[in-house]
């Protein structure tokens, strides 16, 4: 995948960052660019490998897989995502040619990223596991190789992932991202001033595979409907990229509002998301939109100063199960 200098120091800690898609969820699947920002919170991973006994020693080899998932999460997330998490784990193990029938593997997940739909918890899991497994095997991998391994793990959660989440989880920072027929193209964005964000959870865990599949079915049934929305999104993206690079956060907020309307028309928002978005705007956010899969999960709001950020945080805290404040810089 495209290479660039990491914006955060994740390589030495066996972690993967969470992320918020700023612009382009769902549309990015169809090879148009998107903007994504990593949050400071991350998933950490520790991998322990058993020592294979030689044939002359007594006793069986220690084999099998143990996953101890100590990540913070919204209620029901880990239960609902359990099978996908184990499939992702096995895909990463396969990528590294680790056979649990021949060697025991214990994986311990932790960190301060709350696992919730929309924050990129699956990619954070896959990337942190890739780092920890490479470390346990004594491999010195590049960030590009970690990103590739994380992408393989993402297939366990999403079938055919866009690649945007694992790229943000690996490199951190604010990125532009675009799928191609070959490797994705991405670029770290340098922001002229910090961007204050509040994000909140609906408490609803949604299935990315199902929602993406629903959008594809609707697209196939009514190409003209989808093309109109895609045209609208491309106009939003072109303006959003320029506004973000200029640090024009008021304009970024206005465009976030437009992007949210497009996602409503795409049928991937829901009543709970719309309620949080409306509340954030009324509390002083210059813009707000859903983030990620939709039909649950997260939304984010952009604020021009710390006073507005606190007001939006307080307003959302009254109606959302979980609320966070962060900055992109």
């Amino acid at each position: 995948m495209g290479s660039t200098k990491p914006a955060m120091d994740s390589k030495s800690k066996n972690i993967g960052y969470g992320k918020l898609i700023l612009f382009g969820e769902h549309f990015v699947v169809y090879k148009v660019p998107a903007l994504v920002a990593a949050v400071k919170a991350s998933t950490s991973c520790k991998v322990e490998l058993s020592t294979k006994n030689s044939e002359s020693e007594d006793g069986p080899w220690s084999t099998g897989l143990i996953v101890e998932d100590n990540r913070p999460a919204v209620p029901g997330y880990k239960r609902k995502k359990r099978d996908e998490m184990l499939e992702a784990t096995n895909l990463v193990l396969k990528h590294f040619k680790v056979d649990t029938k021949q060697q025991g593997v214990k994986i311990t997940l932790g960190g301060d990223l709350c696992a919730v739909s929309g924050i990129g918890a699956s990619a954070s899991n896959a990337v942190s596991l890739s780092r920890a497994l490479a470390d346990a095997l004594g491999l010195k991998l590049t960030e590009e190789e970690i990103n590739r391994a994380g992408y393989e793990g993402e297939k366990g959660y999403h079938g055919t992932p866009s690649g945007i989440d694992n790229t943000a989880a690996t490199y951190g920072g604010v990125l532009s991202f675009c799928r191609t027929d070959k490797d994705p193209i991405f670029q770290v964005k340098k922001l002229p001033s910090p961007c204050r964000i509040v994000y909140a959870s609906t408490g609803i865990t949604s299935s990315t595979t199902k929602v993406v599949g629903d959008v594809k079915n609707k697209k196939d049934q009514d190409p003209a409907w989808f093309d109109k929305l895609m045209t609208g999104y491309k106009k939003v993206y072109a303006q959003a990229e320029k506004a973000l690079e200029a640090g024009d956060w008021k304009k970024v907020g206005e465009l976030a509002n437009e992007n949210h309307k497009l996602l409503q028309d795409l049928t991937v928002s829901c009543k709970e998301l719309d309620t949080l978005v409306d509340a954030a705007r009324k509390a002083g956010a210059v813009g707000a939109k859903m983030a990620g899969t939709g039909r649950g999960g997260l939304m984010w709001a952009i604020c021009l100063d710390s006073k507005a950020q606190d007001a939006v945080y307080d307003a959302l805290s009254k109606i959302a199960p979980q609320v966070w404040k962060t900055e992109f810089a």
Side-chain angles (χ1 to χ4, degrees), residues 273-286:
L273 283 168
D274 294 341
T275 297
L276 295 178
V277 165
D278 290 342
R281 293 171 184 166
K282 290 177 182 177
V286 292

Side-chain angles (χ1 to χ4, degrees), residues 12-200:
S12 62
K13 302 176 184 177
N14 293 341
I15 65 173
Y17 294 106
K19 68 89 185 68
L20 290 171
I21 294 183
L22 302 182
F23 294 89
E25 48 274 274
H26 290 283
F27 296 107
V28 71
V29 173
Y30 299 99
K31 299 176 183 175
V32 295
L35 290 166
V36 59
V39 299
K40 293 180 180 179
S42 61
T43 296
S44 63
C45 184
K46 179 182 178 182
V47 169
E48 299 169 80
L49 301 175
S50 69
T51 301
K52 294 180 180 180
N53 295 332
S54 69
E55 292 182 4
S56 62
E57 293 176 327
D58 293 332
W61 289 359
S62 176
T63 61
L65 172 65
I66 297 173
V67 179
E68 189 172 312
D69 190 349
N70 297 324
R71 295 175 296 166
V74 298
Y77 178 92
K78 289 193 237 183
R79 181 181 67 253
K80 187 168 184 177
K81 298 284 188 176
R82 179 183 177 276
D83 290 346
E84 293 177 359
M85 184 270 288
L86 290 174
E87 176 65 15
T89 299
N90 283 314
L91 286 172
V92 173
L93 290 170
K94 181 180 178 181
H95 181 77
F96 283 95
K97 297 180 172 57
V98 174
D99 184 356
T100 57
K101 294 180 180 179
Q102 300 294 323
Q103 184 174 26
V105 179
K106 181 179 179 182
I107 297 166
T108 305
L109 299 171
D112 60 352
L113 179 70
C114 182
V116 54
S117 291
I119 200 65
S122 61
S124 180
N125 171 11
V127 168
S128 65
L129 172 58
S130 298
R131 291 190 188 282
L133 193 54
D135 189 36
L137 293 168
L139 302 175
K140 304 296 184 182
L141 300 187
T142 65
E143 293 293 82
E144 183 176 354
E145 290 171 319
I146 291 294
N147 198 20
R148 287 182 182 277
Y151 179 79
E152 290 303 310
E154 272 280 84
K155 293 177 181 179
Y157 282 96
H158 303 315
T160 306
S162 69
I164 191 170
D165 287 13
N166 51 278
T167 302
T170 301
Y171 290 93
V174 179
L175 308 167
S176 62
F177 177 95
C178 189
R179 292 183 73 181
T180 71
D181 289 332
K182 296 182 180 179
D183 287 342
I185 299 170
F186 66 93
Q187 179 184 14
V188 174
K189 297 291 184 181
K190 300 295 184 182
L191 305 186
S193 61
C195 175
R196 292 180 175 87
I197 296 288
V198 179
Y199 63 101

